[in-house]
Amino acid sequence: MLSVKNLHAKVEGNPILRGISLEVKPGEVHAIMGPNGSGKSTFAQVLAGNEAYDVTEGSVTFLGEDLLELPAEERARLGVFLAFQYPVEIAGISNAYFLQAGLNEIRKSHGLEELDSMDFRELLREKMEMVAIDPKFADRPVNQGFSGGEKKRNEILQMAVLEPRLAILDETDSGLDIDALRVVSEGVNKLRGPDRSFIIVTHYQRLLNYIVPDYVHVLFQGAIVKSGDKDLALELEEKGYDWVREELATA
Amino acid sequence: MAEVTNSAEKTRYLSELAEVSERSAPDAVRAVRAEGLRLFGELEYPHRRMEAWRFTNVNPIVRTPFATVTNPAQHGLERPDLARFTYPDQDWIELVFVDGFLAPELSRGLEGEPGVRVLNLASWTGDDPAWVDHFGRRLNGSSSAFTALNAAFSLDGAMVHVARDAAPPRPIHLVYVTTTQGKASAVHPRNLVVLEENARATLVETYVATDPSEVRWTNAVTEAVLGEGADLYRVKVLDDGPGSFHLATTAVSQGRSSRFRSFVFAFGGRIDRDELCVDLDGEGAECALNGLHLTDDGQLMDNAATIAHKAPRCKSWIGYKGVLDGKSNSVFMGRIDVHRGAQQTDSRQLNQTLLLSDKATVNTRPQLEIYADDVKCTHGATVGPPPEEEIFYFRTRGMSEAMGRGLLTYGFADEVVSELEIAPIRERLDRHVFEKYRPE
Ligand SMILES: Nc1ncnc2c1ncn2[C@@H]1O[C@H](COP(=O)(O)OP(=O)(O)OP(=O)(O)O)[C@@H](O)[C@H]1O
Ligand SMILES: [Mg+2]
């Protein structure tokens, strides 16, 4: 589904990603861990099409398309979704309107009919129930005045409505309380399926108890330096990253 | 040399003014006219060396030989022609002024209701003490040659009186329509609104044109007096088109514990200047001045708000937003004067501007003069294009860059609209803003 080869990217002239390679097959869940500043969000943003980052080398194909050639909106229409580490606030646009507009753009690109407000409201109600968000959030401006955890939950709501093929969750678990963590994880698990893949960026092994990944990768200084199964996360939790650093130094 | 030009440009009004000064009118009106005439003769037209007019060049207004409408015009307008400016399906009091003069046949609710009297200045016999006491007192042409000119004409406008403790449920809508019959015309509406103790009222002012592209000038003055505990909710909609020049001065004085909330929506004219002068005279008075302006190529919007905190424990807020496109300008001045003894003043102001073009410019300046020591005064300003990271957020949800930009712009502007408590206006303006910025 997603094939990343030797991806290099710079921001404002500084090299951040230095040769990431990653293969994600349909239905797989990949967790990406790594110390602060190692480039996890940069990787997520580059996949989503943020033009503030310059890709200098490498390739990314998604469902057979050269992802790097596509603007962000076309990537979204193709099924790439990014849950932001820091979702922005949008004044004056309700959550419901924002999502309806986005969903309809995606539907149009697939030759599907747009949903009218009535049908959309019904869909939104179901999805809000699924991720346990108070219905009143539908009419509040996007993320405005939301608490940190509410913003993260709202990202998951958006994912549930847009039903992407590849969801990249950038530290969606940070800032969630214990109940919210469970609700969000259950939401993700409900969306898991043979055609949908996930890249989950997290600092905490705990999340991976709820969302059991197929692979765990360690991103370090802009490259994946170690990969394994879910047990790698446990090992990292126990030993920290120094161990990875040492291994790298001796290699 | 400048002075000579200046006076030459004033003389074109002298014959009209002379004719008006001969007309019979209540003493209160004659007095205001005489004083206006005197001041108009004395004062220079505003120019850019004056602090308040530094960024607003009024030469196009000064140099255009406007013909003042001094008598009710034959307009031929009928109610259906006005449907888009009025709210025919609402049970409101609506006074429609066509080219500066009341058109009773287009108005409704002129009989008022218990506790509420409405009248037009031209029909006033000058015998109501409540109006006599206040007419021309807030601002007797003293602020500029333009307000002096308005006073010197004092031909027509709305008179509103709300009695003590009265709280009419119906908004009072003042509609100023200008028509043009092939010449650049000028009107000088003169309004007076008096709310007695604990009275409440909703006042809506709409300035529109039948032919928005024609050159016209509206030079309005409104005086409002709020007695102790009174509450005035005021909405102004300025939408008279790209050909218009619009200058308005609204002077408000507020008694103890009174409240004044104002919204000014301006949708673009060649030169629009809206000046609000609020005197917080009584302890614990509060005012909130909100504004939104949307300008396009070749337009200028100047918002000037002056609030005088004259008594302790008063609160004021000035929040203006602007969206500027093309080569357009906006000017914002928020002046706060905290007088000696006005302790525990709480005053905040914020001016936010979204620039849709790199040719648009904004001049924003707060001015604080503080002569008390226990006060809280804050001010802030933001200026810039729609933020890329916000546009990116839209794009990651499948929306195009243009759509993201359009919706962001709409959302920015609509924040002010959505605060309106009068649903029919809120809905109409919401649609207007959405239609203006929504992407195709
Ligand atoms: N606009 C920028 N200008 C300069 N450096 C930047 C910019 N954006 C990111 N960086 C740098 O790139 C590096 C990687 O940042 P990134 O946000 O991808 O890290 P991360 O792995 O997501 O970290 P965290 O775990 O703290 O979220 C950091 O050192 C960061 O300071
Ligand atoms: Mg990060």
Side-chain angles (χ1 to χ4, degrees), chain A residues 206-217:
Chain A
R206 193 186 48 191
L207 175 73
L208 306 179
N209 286 335
Y210 294 106
I211 307 172
V212 181
D214 299 299
Y215 298 94
V216 174
H217 309 278

Side-chain angles (χ1 to χ4, degrees), chain B residues 87-356:
Chain B
Y87 293 85
D89 47 356
Q90 301 294 322
D91 179 26
W92 290 5
I93 293 172
E94 284 190 318
L95 274 67
V96 177
F97 294 84
V98 178
D99 292 325
F101 287 88
L102 185 78
E105 71 286 5
L106 299 174
S107 304
R108 61 203 173 106
L110 292 176
E111 66 287 355
E113 61 177 63
V116 180
R117 268 185 304 148
V118 292
L119 192 73
N120 62 313
L121 177 61
S123 309
W124 189 38
T125 50
D127 49 4
D128 312 63
W131 281 330
V132 172
D133 287 351
H134 297 294
F135 187 74
R137 297 296 165 83
R138 296 308 128 197
L139 191 135
N140 191 5
S142 60
S143 80
S144 77
F146 294 127
T147 52
L149 187 61
N150 174 289
F153 280 112
S154 291
L155 286 165
D156 207 1
M159 314 276 283
V160 176
H161 182 264
V162 185
R164 184 176 173 156
D165 296 324
R170 294 194 291 171
I172 300 160
H173 187 196
L174 312 177
V175 187
Y176 304 87
V177 189
T178 49
T179 69
T180 9
Q181 288 125 5
K183 59 181 193 300
S185 59
V187 297
H188 302 268
R190 176 100 198 173
N191 308 306
L192 174 64
V193 177
V194 178
L195 269 63
E196 303 288 358
E197 245 178 81
N198 295 322
R200 298 174 66 102
T202 298
L203 184 77
V204 183
E205 297 165 56
T206 298
Y207 294 84
V208 286
T210 54
D211 188 352
S213 59
E214 289 285 334
V215 174
R216 283 152 294 107
W217 178 30
T218 297
N219 178 39
V221 169
T222 301
E223 298 173 284
V225 184
L226 278 64
E228 189 173 324
D231 187 335
L232 179 62
Y233 191 92
R234 175 255 194 173
V235 181
K236 169 172 171 175
V237 179
L238 173 56
D239 191 14
D240 57 3
S244 73
F245 297 103
H246 179 98
L247 303 178
T249 298
T250 303
V252 183
S253 71
Q254 292 190 235
R256 196 184 175 93
S257 301
S258 64
R259 182 155 72 137
F260 174 53
R261 286 168 293 168
S262 167
F263 287 84
V264 176
F265 295 95
F267 297 133
R270 266 189 69 188
I271 297 175
D272 286 338
R273 185 170 197 271
D274 191 77
E275 181 182 26
L276 263 166
C277 306
V278 179
D279 284 356
L280 299 171
D281 291 318
E283 187 169 341
E286 292 184 19
C287 72
L289 314 181
N290 305 283
L292 171 69
H293 55 276
L294 315 176
T295 59
D296 293 323
D297 202 44
Q299 303 181 337
L300 173 109
M301 178 75 218
D302 178 346
N303 283 295
T306 301
I307 299 174
H309 279 260
K310 295 183 171 175
R313 283 172 283 285
C314 290
K315 247 172 119 165
S316 63
W317 157 252
I318 307 175
Y320 275 72
K321 278 188 160 189
V323 179
L324 278 57
D325 205 348
K327 192 172 179 332
S328 66
N329 304 314
S330 87
V331 181
F332 171 81
M333 200 264 298
R335 184 186 163 108
I336 306 293
D337 293 328
V338 180
H339 290 220
R340 213 176 298 282
Q343 300 297 12
Q344 292 173 46
T345 283
D346 181 350
S347 151
R348 292 174 297 138
Q349 59 174 294
L350 181 61
N351 178 222
Q352 295 168 279
T353 308
L354 202 56
L355 301 176
L356 301 184

Side-chain angles (χ1 to χ4, degrees), chain A residues 41 85 170-171:
Chain A
S41 293
Q85 183 175 3
D170 191 358
E171 291 198 34

